[in-house]
Amino acid sequence: KVRDVDNLAGAETYSKDPADIVCDYLTNDIYGRGFSDSLLDVSSFQSAQDYYDGTHTYLSAARYILDGALSTDDNTYENTQRIRACCNSALIFSNGRYRLIPFKTGNSTDLITESEIVDNWNMGFGDKKSRFNRVKVRFTNESDDYQQGSAVIENTSYKTADNGLVLQKEIGLDLVVDSDRAKLIGNELMKQSRFDTTIELTLPHTKQTIEPI
């Protein structure tokens, strides 16, 4: 049982929601990190929960749920990374608190003008090492008595753009138990790799509180 991020003072209940589970793993002092609630940006966990619980048209069900077990023989960092991967999200430490941020499209709430940029700025795009047209996903298959299964997602348009080269990424989703959700996450990772963009620039101190949305 875990606490609901919408009501941390309430009674613990069973939950498969990734936001509840990440919160529990960060704050539980027996098998987790044992952090105080004050170290969490609770509003970011609540927003993430709303996103995870939203019905995805491909699944006709909640976008992300977690089902499975973690080994206490593995360190808490590795287990946190496993949880994070299964809900395609980032966990960042910013301004003294942990924020849970799903990878999704959104609009920036900050504006940077050219006059505020110090010196030059650079924009970078993914190369063949970080760009994929084929993703193989390993997951725990509940329809096969919870044996390890795999799903392959390919995009022929991306492969054509890559001059016919197969650029493959393999990932493991230990807490995903159905092939459709595994394929969804694999497809999302592929798309992210195709449109990954980085911008490097130096800003004045007045802009150094800008955070990911």
Side-chain angles (χ1 to χ4, degrees):
K1 294 182 178 182
V2 298
R3 295 181 296 166
D4 185 340
V5 295
D6 274 335
N7 182 19
L8 291 178
E12 294 183 347
T13 59
Y14 291 105
S15 174
K16 294 184 178 182
D17 183 88
D20 293 338
I21 293 171
V22 174
C23 175
D24 177 71
Y25 199 70
L26 291 178
T27 59
N28 191 286
D29 57 6
I30 297 176
Y31 51 77
R33 302 299 299 270
F35 293 154
S36 166
D37 289 351
S38 63
L39 284 176
L40 305 185
D41 181 344
V42 177
S43 64
S44 74
F45 282 74
Q46 293 169 341
S47 296
Q49 183 189 66
D50 291 340
Y51 179 71
Y52 300 148
D53 287 346
T55 300
H56 194 283
T57 53
Y58 173 68
L59 299 172
S60 298
R63 181 176 276 103
Y64 300 130
I65 61 173
L66 303 183
D67 199 340
L70 297 171
S71 174
T72 55
D73 290 336
D74 296 327
N75 64 53
T76 54
Y77 173 80
E78 292 172 342
N79 281 336
T80 301
Q81 294 299 92
R82 290 187 176 98
I83 298 171
R84 184 192 61 77
C86 292
C87 57
N88 195 22
S89 300
L91 182 67
I92 67 170
F93 189 73
S94 177
N95 289 329
R97 293 187 298 174
Y98 286 93
R99 298 183 64 205
L100 183 61
I101 305 176
F103 291 123
K104 59 185 178 71
T105 58
N107 296 318
S108 174
T109 58
D110 292 287
L111 175 66
I112 299 172
T113 64
E114 186 175 353
S115 63
E116 292 172 315
I117 299 175
V118 180
D119 293 326
N120 298 320
W121 64 278
N122 298 300
M123 178 178 290
F125 302 94
D127 56 20
K128 290 181 180 178
K129 293 181 180 180
S130 59
R131 188 175 63 238
F132 319 118
N133 53 45
R134 189 175 193 266
V135 176
K136 183 177 181 180
V137 184
R138 300 184 308 277
F139 65 101
T140 304
N141 192 350
E142 65 178 344
S143 64
D144 189 24
D145 199 24
Y146 293 92
Q147 300 299 307
Q148 186 179 89
S150 64
V152 176
I153 304 95
E154 295 182 283
N155 188 299
T156 55
S157 298
Y158 293 160
K159 184 178 178 182
T160 299
D162 295 328
N163 297 317
L165 293 175
V166 175
L167 305 178
Q168 178 168 299
K169 172 74 172 180
E170 292 194 21
I171 60 172
L173 302 177
D174 299 333
L175 304 177
V176 173
V177 298
D178 64 276
S179 61
D180 286 340
R181 192 165 277 108
K183 290 176 183 177
L184 171 66
I185 296 175
N187 190 56
E188 289 177 341
L189 292 176
M190 183 191 299
K191 288 182 177 179
Q192 289 167 9
S193 79
R194 305 300 300 193
F195 300 102
D196 183 36
T197 304
T198 58
I199 299 176
E200 297 180 2
L201 71 166
T202 303
L203 297 172
H205 71 279
T206 55
K207 286 290 185 178
Q208 291 181 4
T209 57
I210 294 176
E211 298 181 338
I213 58 175

